Amino acid sequence: MTPTARRTDSPRVGRRISPRAAVCVVSVAANFMAIMDTTTVNVALPALGRDFAVDSSGLSSVNVGYLAAMAVCIPVSGWLTHRYGTRRTGLAALLLFTVASGLCATAGSLGALTGYRVLQGVGGGLLGPVGMTMMLRAFPVAERLRVQRYVMLPTAVAPAMGPVLGGWLVDTASWHWVFLVNVPVGMLALLFGLWALPDFPGPGAPRFDLLGFVLTGGGLAALLYALTRAPDRGWGSGYVLVPLAGGAVLLALTVPWQLRAQHPVIDLRILGDQLFRTTQLSLLPMGAAFLGVLYLYPQFLQTGLGYDALHSGLATFPEALGMLTAAQLAPLLHDRVGPSRLMAAGGTAATGVIVFLATEAGTLPSAVLYPSMYLLGCSVGLLFANGQNAAFVTVPAARTADATTLLTMQRQIAGACGVALAATLADGGFRTGLLAMAAVSGCAALLALRVSDRRVRDGYRADAAGDAPEESAQPGHAPER
């Protein structure tokens, strides 16, 4: 990127506070709410069923509607960012998520709640990729790894904190507060963003790729729906097979169309970037294994060891502290060891911890489980922090919206696959499910060895020298690597 491009990308508002600090505050707060919302609502489902006189199978629409709306909106996030810039897109998504949260708290029927959850999903589907785009645009390559300590906060803490907070709110107040708690946080983040958030304008968006949006959004929504319902309905059910096959067909059709389209809604050509591609191949199985373990472990504690819901959540929480510790260690070890080795070491250690939990958790004192989960968080965090940083080292600044859209889609698919696989295998025992997650984690460790440390170093040098790849005049064109 030329010096002129750097000046063009520089923040234009928020003079009374550091623009970078403003980006961190807004994006972390927004992503934290969006990620935590799913796990807090899971805890509230029994209370919702009692109030609305609906059984557990009927309550699935509350989460399915949210996840499907997120899936449909993720692909369009890059186009909106190119068209309207990060500030307007991000604040609009934050406003929609906050308003929808308030509406959810007032719902008087299951149908109304499902509709409001769909609105929440629209906002949540945009918050993740737009927030990450702002972070990547605000910080140069050399500083991004240090910022991972903030970027990883929602990913690390929100999934573990959700059940604890949700259980406490339901027990001490009502299920309405699971949604109401988002309103003051969202409004404060929105007001702060209006005052201080900088804008990173996109290169402009051409005519919207409607067919690409239908294929990608519809395929992703159908696939996530099938994976979400499979553990309850069974993989042979028509409720699973039809959307699974339909989603696979739509996503398969997406690839040739997006590669041929002049202005694709999802720019798959960015996968031609070798560093971005190889890091995603490692992050995907680790994301699946990690969320699969977070699904299985609390249930194992409750059904196998007699923990109640609150204490099983507290016993899981040390993994969040471990991930935050890894985010602090990553910048110190990055240059000395190299991202590929750190990712492989994190994946290997995570595999070992999961095997340990699967084989020994029921025979050891409960005090041993807390440091085990902390070590798991450290291991997974080491892979995530280095992988997410390396993924964008050679991605031009103006194309970060395209890259973050693909990364967010990968996360959604990985999480759904991990939970679906873990829940299915748990029928044969929780240990079987955990051992399967260990195998998936081991694959992530092996794939991490394909990440090129040399390309990461070259990307750092190019950015420091102001020689980052120029952006093509055509947004759909990926520069040669």
Side-chain angles (χ1 to χ4, degrees):
M1 188 188 308
T2 63
T4 301
R6 289 178 186 275
R7 286 194 294 269
T8 300
D9 284 344
S10 63
R12 298 180 296 176
V13 296
R15 296 177 180 176
R16 288 167 290 181
I17 190 172
S18 166
R20 294 177 179 178
V23 167
C24 286
V25 170
V26 174
S27 61
V28 168
N31 285 323
F32 196 94
M33 286 193 303
I35 294 174
M36 189 174 67
D37 196 74
T38 300
T39 53
T40 54
V41 173
N42 286 338
V43 177
L45 289 178
L48 286 168
R50 290 191 297 270
D51 273 16
F52 295 146
V54 179
D55 60 21
S56 57
S57 61
L59 290 170
S60 61
S61 63
V62 174
N63 276 338
V64 170
Y66 180 78
L67 292 174
M70 284 187 70
V72 170
C73 290
I74 288 171
V76 79
S77 62
W79 185 88
L80 290 173
T81 302
H82 286 316
R83 176 67 177 82
Y84 298 105
T86 57
R87 188 172 191 268
R88 281 192 286 178
T89 305
L91 292 180
L94 181 58
L95 175 62
L96 180 60
F97 186 89
T98 304
V99 171
S101 296
L103 291 173
C104 287
T106 66
S109 66
L110 181 62
L113 179 59
T114 300
Y116 297 146
R117 284 284 282 168
V118 170
L119 289 178
Q120 252 194 330
V122 173
L126 297 175
L127 285 176
V130 175
M132 185 177 295
T133 298
M134 286 193 291
M135 297 287 283
L136 293 169
R137 293 286 295 274
F139 292 89
V141 171
E143 297 182 24
R144 289 176 186 169
L145 191 58
R146 286 184 294 148
V147 182
Q148 285 287 342
R149 65 193 70 180
Y150 309 115
V151 176
M152 286 184 62
L153 183 64
T155 305
V157 178
M161 185 176 175
V164 179
L165 178 63
W168 180 74
L169 289 172
V170 171
D171 290 341
T172 59
S174 70
W175 64 261
H176 303 82
W177 281 94
V178 169
F179 301 104
L180 279 176
V181 73
N182 291 330
V183 176
V185 178
M187 290 305 299
L188 287 174
L190 183 64
L191 293 173
F192 180 79
L194 288 170
W195 171 59
L197 192 65
D199 186 30
F200 299 98
R207 183 170 58 87
F208 184 63
D209 177 19
L210 180 60
L211 179 58
F213 169 67
V214 171
L215 291 174
T216 308
L220 185 59
L223 181 64
L224 292 180
Y225 174 84
L227 292 173
T228 302
R229 302 305 301 272
D232 296 328
R233 293 281 188 174
W235 290 94
S237 168
Y239 290 98
V240 174
L241 287 177
V242 172
L244 184 65
V249 170
L250 290 176
L251 291 178
L253 293 173
T254 295
V255 176
W257 172 255
Q258 296 295 273
L259 292 176
R260 186 171 64 250
Q262 185 177 8
H263 302 294
V265 68
I266 297 291
D267 191 0
L268 296 178
R269 297 179 183 90
I270 203 167
L271 292 173
D273 184 315
Q274 193 266 355
L275 191 55
F276 181 80
R277 183 178 66 253
T278 53
T279 51
Q280 299 314 297
L281 289 176
S282 180
L283 289 171
L284 193 152
M286 180 52 72
F290 181 56
L291 289 180
V293 171
L294 290 185
Y295 173 84
L296 287 172
Y297 186 67
Q299 295 188 56
F300 172 72
L301 293 178
Q302 293 179 56
T303 60
L305 301 183
Y307 282 51
D308 59 28
L310 177 61
H311 286 86
S312 70
L314 293 174
T316 307
F317 191 75
E319 61 80 16
L321 302 179
M323 289 190 73
L324 295 179
T325 301
Q328 306 294 321
L329 293 175
L332 304 177
L333 300 174
H334 181 272
D335 294 337
R336 186 177 306 172
V337 181
S340 178
R341 293 177 182 176
L342 287 174
M343 291 174 66
T348 302
T351 303
V353 173
I354 299 172
V355 170
F356 173 79
L357 292 173
T359 56
E360 304 295 337
T363 62
L364 295 173
S366 59
V368 178
L369 301 180
Y370 290 84
S372 298
M373 289 303 293
Y374 176 81
L375 182 58
L376 176 63
C378 282
S379 305
V380 173
L382 204 60
L383 189 146
F384 278 175
N386 286 278
Q388 290 181 173
N389 176 72
F392 295 94
V393 167
T394 52
V395 174
R399 301 194 67 222
T400 51
D402 300 315
T404 54
T405 298
L406 279 172
L407 176 61
T408 308
M409 289 178 62
Q410 174 260 104
R411 281 180 176 174
Q412 294 295 318
I413 294 173
C417 287
V419 171
L421 178 62
T424 301
L425 294 176
D427 290 340
F430 289 112
R431 286 183 171 83
T432 301
L434 286 172
L435 289 174
M437 295 302 101
V440 176
S441 175
C443 292
L446 291 174
L447 290 169
L449 296 173
R450 293 175 56 85
V451 176
S452 172
D453 290 348
R454 178 184 61 80
R455 289 179 181 270
V456 174
R457 290 193 298 269
D458 291 346
Y460 271 73
R461 294 193 189 102
D463 183 75
D467 295 330
E470 290 288 349
E471 195 60 28
S472 170
Q474 296 293 335
H477 176 73
E480 295 288 340
R481 297 281 177 200

